[in-house]
Amino acid sequence: MVDIDERWKKVLWLLGILISLGILAFLVVFFLRFEAGRTFRAEFFNGRTFRKAMPYVLGGLSLTVRLALVSEVFILVVGLIIALARISKNPILRALAIVYIDVIRGLPLLLQIFIVYYGLAYLGFKLDPFVAGVAALTICYAAYEAEIFRAGIESIHKGQMEAARSLGMGYMQAMRYVILPQAVRNVIPPLSNEFIALLKDTSLLSVIALAEVLRRGTEMMGKYYNVTPLVCAALCYLMITLPLMRLVQYVSNRLSEGR
Amino acid sequence: MNFMVEVRNLHKRFGHHEVLRGINLRVKPSEVLVIVGPSGSGKSTLLRCINGLEHATSGQILIEGVDITDSRVDINAMRQKVGIVFQSFNLFPHLTVLRNVTLAPIKVKKMRPEEAEAKALQLLKRVGLEDKAQAYPSQLSGGQQQRVAIARALAMDPDLMLFDEVTSALDPELVKEVLDAMKDLARSGMTMLVVTHEMGFAREVGDRLIFMDEGEIVEEGKPVEIFTNPKSPRAKDFFSKILSHL
């Protein structure tokens, strides 16, 4: 049996290598020999446009990262407060939290951005686009992260709360010193994934004239009549998101080992 | 006569299920009261009502004369007088043994950290675990964890200690070390309410025993008398089953 398994493994390996080589060969021929391939290369991977557009698009990355980081700080605070309201014994607080979480999660983020930026402008509050962007992202993501916090808190055995309360601690003291420190450990992986999603969703703020990565990419696309700037933008996002995803994976593995 | 605990006509209902049906109980200071009975008889619920983890449906529970079922009473302050040790230990896994014991004195009693630590080390020594102060709960055996839980409860200087089947989750060879810590505590004059299946402990340490079944106190008296001469059929049946192994 073992021999057959080993032989099959070798065959599969060989097959995999052959298929990969085939695809590679096809791509090379397609891009170099065919008209369509050459057009594709000129539009998507145009070296001259890349050299001109990339520095400008890359310049938007600091705004993208700043938007994500500043929003994340507010999201964590607001999300935690909503989560605590969601699990509170007070029926009014709980109902408010449920309505907030459901309504916000039921709306497209782009719509929320428009409402915060243009809606408030109609009411006479002209917000700075950065402030409006952070506000919209906070409103939206706080609802999602509140649910993550809630799940993290509810995953802690109720004996922990009882033990803390039986020692005379108040509810908030027990939360702060006993429940939350343990819950945080459970929510780090899902919260990190939310942060990656948030970083990508900052691109939606290009609609309110924030010169972040995507906005700069589309500007350059219009200027050079070429798709290459969008590829530049894609590379900018991947530079951040790919390492972050690996990091999240690593941290998750470490956390689950330490159990 | 001042009682440490006085329970008057206590009822507790979960939905349609009545777990406690009119409990009356008086415990004197320094008395060790053992509570036995089949599972589902309401023993644990009674203990949990006495330190406010469960709300009484009706009736009164007086701790040192203060009615804790009165909503105006500061339940957090009352709980400081009543320590409880659980079947499942419930140590805080993210804190060292020392921090487990000092957390409540520092945060609730606002004790100075050095003072709390000195006291904690003393209590850990008393339960034989002063060398484990820097360990985390997961590094300890069940018996050791349970002794830490006892030290943690004692750190708040309670006047009354509740023990809820504290040896039931332990491997047999670890039961003795926990019972020894409890015996030591009983000898020091602590008032104790002990829910247990350890009849040897009940006979040796218990001043009084109550037998509960279906939410009522069926029988009450000296442990030896009830063991040897249970009056009600339910108690007879229960003790004949568990004492046959002794």
Side-chain angles (χ1 to χ4, degrees):
Chain A
M1 287 306 280
V2 175
D3 284 350
I4 294 170
D5 277 356
E6 287 297 308
R7 213 184 308 159
W8 266 110
K9 246 184 214 167
K10 271 181 196 158
V11 170
L12 283 176
W13 260 101
L14 209 65
L15 210 65
I17 291 169
L18 281 176
I19 292 172
S20 310
L21 282 176
I23 292 172
L24 197 67
F26 170 79
L27 287 175
V28 168
V29 171
F30 177 76
F31 280 120
L32 297 181
R33 303 296 304 170
F34 287 93
E35 185 58 31
R38 273 195 289 258
T39 311
F40 182 77
R41 199 160 50 116
E43 290 298 334
F44 277 76
F45 301 102
N46 188 308
R48 264 180 46 216
T49 314
F50 183 86
R51 277 188 294 279
K52 282 188 201 146
M54 190 59 178
Y56 180 69
V57 176
L58 194 60
L61 197 54
S62 82
L63 179 58
T64 291
V65 171
R66 255 186 303 144
L67 281 166
L69 286 178
V70 174
S71 304
E72 185 64 30
V73 172
F74 289 107
I75 292 165
L76 288 174
V77 175
V78 178
L80 181 58
I81 292 170
I82 296 171
L84 290 176
R86 174 71 182 75
I87 58 171
S88 106
K89 286 215 173 74
N90 183 327
I92 297 169
L93 274 181
R94 206 168 54 225
L96 283 176
I98 291 172
V99 168
Y100 179 89
I101 290 168
D102 284 0
V103 168
I104 294 297
R105 290 199 307 174
L107 290 174
L109 174 52
L110 189 56
L111 174 64
Q112 297 177 40
I113 293 167
F114 280 144
I115 288 178
V116 170
Y117 188 62
Y118 297 116
L120 287 182
Y122 274 101
L123 292 179
F125 301 100
K126 188 83 180 78
L127 287 187
D128 174 73
F130 186 88
V131 176
V134 168
L137 290 175
T138 302
I139 289 168
C140 177
Y141 271 77
Y144 289 92
E145 298 198 2
E147 284 295 89
I148 293 174
F149 274 121
R150 176 171 76 98
I153 291 168
E154 287 178 347
S155 72
I156 305 301
H157 193 269
K158 75 177 175 45
Q160 291 289 310
M161 179 55 97
E162 290 185 348
R165 298 304 304 273
S166 76
L167 290 164
M169 284 187 222
Y171 178 80
M172 286 315 284
Q173 276 183 319
M175 267 290 164
R176 180 168 163 205
Y177 300 116
V178 176
I179 307 298
L180 288 180
Q182 297 182 62
V184 161
R185 200 186 140 97
N186 291 346
V187 299
I188 283 174
L191 284 187
S192 309
N193 285 326
E194 284 295 299
F195 179 74
I196 293 170
L198 171 71
L199 194 112
K200 292 182 292 175
D201 276 350
T202 56
S203 62
L204 290 168
L205 299 177
S206 59
V207 299
I208 56 171
L210 279 166
E212 44 66 68
V213 170
L214 181 63
R215 175 81 179 195
R216 289 179 178 221
T218 50
E219 277 172 24
M220 289 296 103
M221 182 175 70
K223 185 171 172 187
Y224 294 109
Y225 292 111
N226 193 289
V227 195
T228 308
L230 288 190
V231 176
C232 294
L235 289 176
C236 287
Y237 286 112
L238 289 176
M239 270 192 280
I240 306 277
T241 52
L242 286 182
L244 267 183
M245 285 189 275
R246 297 323 305 166
L247 182 69
V248 172
Q249 191 63 52
Y250 174 77
V251 172
S252 309
N253 290 345
R254 286 295 301 273
L255 283 175
S256 55
E257 274 167 23
R259 214 149 280 235
Chain B
M1 177 82 215
N2 285 323
F3 293 102
M4 179 66 75
V5 184
E6 193 173 351
V7 177
R8 293 179 188 157
N9 197 23
L10 174 66
H11 287 259
K12 173 68 187 175
R13 212 189 309 267
F14 290 108
H16 290 294
H17 182 53
E18 192 164 28
V19 185
L20 297 176
R21 311 165 178 231
I23 300 287
N24 288 289
L25 188 65
R26 288 169 164 185
V27 184
K28 288 178 284 198
S30 294
E31 192 176 9
V32 176
L33 176 75
V34 179
I35 305 170
V36 298
S39 60
S41 59
K43 302 164 295 187
S44 291
T45 307
L46 174 59
L47 281 198
R48 292 165 61 83
C49 285
I50 289 174
N51 85 337
L53 284 176
E54 304 287 354
H55 290 290
T57 306
S58 67
Q60 281 150 5
I61 301 166
L62 280 67
I63 309 285
E64 295 178 334
V66 180
D67 183 1
I68 64 163
T69 60
D70 185 336
S71 58
R72 284 165 300 182
V73 166
D74 178 1
I75 191 72
N76 292 332
M78 287 312 295
R79 283 207 182 100
Q80 293 178 42
K81 298 183 179 181
V82 186
I84 185 165
V85 183
F86 301 93
Q87 179 178 354
S88 51
F89 326 140
N90 294 344
L91 293 183
F92 307 135
H94 61 301
L95 301 176
T96 61
V97 164
L98 188 65
R99 290 275 294 143
N100 261 276
V101 181
T102 58
L103 182 67
I106 292 172
K107 301 302 178 192
V108 179
K109 284 200 161 175
K110 311 292 176 200
M111 203 183 264
R112 289 203 336 277
E114 316 85 70
E115 199 186 333
E117 273 174 31
K119 186 171 176 175
L121 288 170
Q122 212 180 328
L123 287 167
L124 287 172
K125 191 171 179 184
R126 189 167 163 189
V127 296
L129 289 171
E130 68 272 37
D131 56 328
K132 298 288 184 191
Q134 297 308 325
Y136 282 89
S138 60
Q139 297 166 313
L140 304 182
S141 73
Q144 290 170 331
Q145 290 193 48
Q146 199 56 296
R147 284 184 283 152
V148 173
I150 293 172
R152 181 176 69 176
L154 291 176
M156 292 302 284
D157 281 323
D159 298 333
L160 167 69
M161 284 284 284
L162 311 175
F163 294 86
D164 188 5
E165 298 197 30
V166 294
T167 56
S168 299
L170 297 178
D171 290 335
E173 74 272 22
L174 302 176
V175 168
K176 186 176 178 297
E177 63 190 55
V178 173
L179 292 182
D180 284 344
M182 290 165 67
K183 282 179 200 167
D184 170 62
L185 194 59
R187 277 187 218 108
S188 74
M190 176 64 75
T191 314
M192 294 164 62
L193 267 64
V194 185
V195 171
T196 187
H197 295 300
E198 299 291 335
M199 294 304 145
F201 174 86
R203 186 161 47 195
E204 188 183 336
V205 186
D207 297 313
R208 191 153 55 104
L209 182 144
I210 60 176
F211 172 76
M212 285 180 70
D213 192 24
E214 294 180 353
E216 291 168 336
I217 296 176
V218 179
E219 224 159 304
E220 182 170 354
K222 290 254 176 246
V224 180
E225 285 166 16
I226 295 185
F227 290 163
T228 50
N229 189 21
K231 293 182 184 65
S232 63
R234 280 188 284 182
K236 264 181 198 153
D237 182 48
F238 178 77
F239 287 112
S240 74
K241 277 177 190 152
I242 64 165
L243 291 176
S244 60
H245 302 295
L246 280 182

